[in-house]
Amino acid sequence: MTRARLVVLGDSFAEGRGDPRPDGSYGGWVPRFADLFAIPPGGYRNLGTHQATTGHILDRQVPAALVNKATMIGFIGGVNDLISDYDPGRFAHNLRAILRRLAGPDTVLFTATYPDIPGNLDLPAPFRALLRDRFARANEDLTRAAAAAGALCLDIGAATEWHGPTLWDADGLHPNPRGHHHFAETMADFVGLHTGMVPVGREPAGVGAGVGLLSY
């Protein structure tokens, strides 16, 4: 098996939901991100799965990602834990384990914080507040796990453009095509800034305005 240059793990954000193709599959940010680093379709794998939890990612996706380990690995997942069967200790443990196992001296490992998805949803105010508390704690857990693993962490949770409907599908849970495109460009710029790899057609230090930077 040829070694992929890029592997992405995660849930439906990674899978590409919100950006449907005519054939019923999903596009999403991963192909766009790969294009920005001139990675052809055969040079990347997207393991992102609808409804995947951190437990699923740890048990099933991580072992698959470690077969012929890629030089770039992205992890975008955890929302399904936060909105369903949430256990704070298990969640934090899984984040640490996922990133620790994926890390390595010859690997660029990247992730992103959780945006304000509860603000997109039609929820009773007390439940929205509960979810926002979970998301805030999750972002603390993720940034600590990224720091421990030496991963790059893009803080889209602090980015104003992710607030409001502009980048979101009507369900409020998944980016729309514009959102996937924006995420691909912003993450590519961020990775480029911290690795020296300049994305195709992008400025060498072009990181999107309003995006918080957490790099380790």
Side-chain angles (χ1 to χ4, degrees), residues 10-12 15 17 47-53 56 61 80 174:
D11 52 27
S12 51
E15 180 193 30
R17 296 232 169 194
L47 303 175
T49 306
H50 181 49
Q51 298 183 336
T53 62
H56 172 94
Q61 295 183 22
N80 291 307
H174 306 104

Side-chain angles (χ1 to χ4, degrees), residues 92-126:
H93 166 80
N94 287 349
L95 290 181
R96 291 193 300 269
I98 290 166
L99 292 172
R100 182 178 65 248
R101 290 187 63 188
L102 295 174
D106 59 346
T107 304
V108 175
L109 177 60
F110 62 90
T111 187
T113 59
Y114 306 103
D116 182 28
I117 288 177
N120 297 338
L121 306 178
D122 184 14
L123 301 170

Side-chain angles (χ1 to χ4, degrees), residues 29-100:
W29 65 269
V30 175
R32 293 173 168 91
F33 180 89
D35 284 345
L36 287 167
F37 287 105
I39 301 172
Y44 67 86
R45 291 184 290 152
N46 186 353
L47 303 175
T49 306
H50 181 49
Q51 298 183 336
T53 62
T54 56
H56 172 94
I57 294 165
L58 179 60
D59 293 341
R60 299 188 183 185
Q61 295 183 22
V62 169
L66 294 178
V67 176
N68 293 317
K69 189 178 179 185
T71 52
M72 275 199 292
I73 300 179
F75 162 65
I76 307 293
V79 169
N80 291 307
D81 299 66
L82 300 176
I83 63 177
S84 56
D85 183 22
Y86 177 61
D87 179 283
R90 180 183 62 204
F91 180 78
H93 166 80
N94 287 349
L95 290 181
R96 291 193 300 269
I98 290 166
L99 292 172
R100 182 178 65 248

Side-chain angles (χ1 to χ4, degrees), residues 122-205:
D122 184 14
L123 301 170
F127 188 48
R128 178 179 291 110
L130 171 66
L131 286 182
R132 278 180 162 156
D133 286 344
R134 286 184 185 177
F135 274 63
R137 178 169 180 172
N139 280 331
E140 293 175 357
D141 291 335
L142 180 62
T143 54
R144 282 194 293 266
L152 299 173
C153 184
L154 176 66
D155 191 7
I156 69 170
T160 57
E161 63 265 32
W162 287 98
H163 294 271
T166 304
L167 300 180
W168 294 100
D169 187 63
D171 65 9
L173 290 168
H174 306 104
N176 57 25
R178 181 176 178 179
H180 281 289
H181 184 82
H182 178 75
F183 184 82
E185 289 192 339
T186 307
M187 182 60 83
D189 288 340
F190 182 68
V191 169
L193 179 68
H194 292 283
T195 63
M197 299 184 297
V198 180
V200 176
R202 307 290 290 171
E203 294 297 325

